[in-house]
Amino acid sequence: HRLWEMFLVEKLNFKWDEVHEVAEQLEHIKSEKLERELDLFLKFPKMDPHGDPIPDNNGKIHKLKSFPLTDMNISGKAIMLGVADHSNEFLQFLDSIGISPGKKLWVKKINLYDQSMQISTGKKKNLFISKDVAKNILVKEK
């Protein structure tokens, strides 16, 4: 399923919020050779477009240690790895504000009242996100 999601995003230019249902259909093709060749064609990706790990051909999962953006301190720098919420609405929202896996994020301010955050991605100086959004963005410290 996750290999198909990568293929759809990387090679067919699907958006990350469009791939789940199509991958659901494609994953029912029963061919170990197709799976191996797809993995090779994609150069053995470790994660899908949402930041979820893809097992290697031995079934081993290489998990990256990630945590919610809400765990970052002010002035903390992070790289987005994935999302906890895979809903189309959430993924579309992140697209609309320019946040996706691999993006560098800087925590500029945390509002004491509601824990909302002011962050920067480098291009957009001031993005304001709610605590609910921040807790669903998975990062690693940079």
Side-chain angles (χ1 to χ4, degrees):
H1 180 94
R2 293 176 181 171
L3 282 175
W4 282 119
E5 288 184 338
M6 280 302 295
F7 176 76
L8 293 167
V9 168
E10 295 288 322
K11 303 302 179 188
L12 298 183
N13 300 316
F14 278 66
K15 292 183 178 181
W16 65 339
D17 64 300
E18 300 173 322
V19 297
H20 180 73
E21 289 183 27
V22 178
E24 280 284 326
Q25 296 170 27
L26 291 168
E27 76 179 44
H28 293 288
I29 299 170
K30 302 292 183 201
S31 171
E32 289 183 23
K33 181 176 181 178
L34 176 61
E35 186 178 323
R36 282 191 312 272
E37 293 298 324
L38 183 60
D39 199 20
L40 174 65
F41 180 72
L42 295 171
K43 299 181 180 153
F44 309 102
K46 301 273 188 246
M47 296 187 342
D48 76 5
H50 308 107
D52 294 318
I54 298 175
D56 66 17
N57 57 359
N58 296 318
K60 185 176 180 184
I61 295 177
H62 302 280
K63 285 194 173 189
L64 292 177
K65 293 182 181 180
S66 64
F67 54 88
L69 185 59
T70 50
D71 290 357
M72 291 292 296
N73 295 319
I74 295 173
S75 300
K77 295 180 181 179
I79 296 175
M80 185 199 182
L81 295 179
V83 293
D85 179 350
H86 291 79
S87 71
N88 288 347
E89 295 82 9
F90 185 65
L91 299 176
Q92 290 167 3
F93 172 73
L94 292 181
D95 274 344
S96 76
I97 62 173
I99 296 179
S100 59
K103 279 279 189 192
K104 295 175 186 170
L105 305 175
W106 292 269
V107 177
K108 301 293 188 179
K109 183 178 179 182
I110 301 171
N111 186 319
L112 294 176
Y113 173 70
D114 63 358
Q115 307 303 291
S116 60
M117 296 179 135
Q118 178 183 351
I119 62 171
S120 173
T121 62
K123 290 184 180 179
K124 294 186 178 183
K125 297 285 181 219
N126 294 308
L127 291 173
F128 296 91
I129 59 173
S130 69
K131 180 181 178 182
D132 284 340
V133 169
K135 75 179 182 186
N136 284 294
I137 297 173
L138 303 177
V139 298
K140 72 174 182 177
E141 278 194 82
K142 183 177 184 258

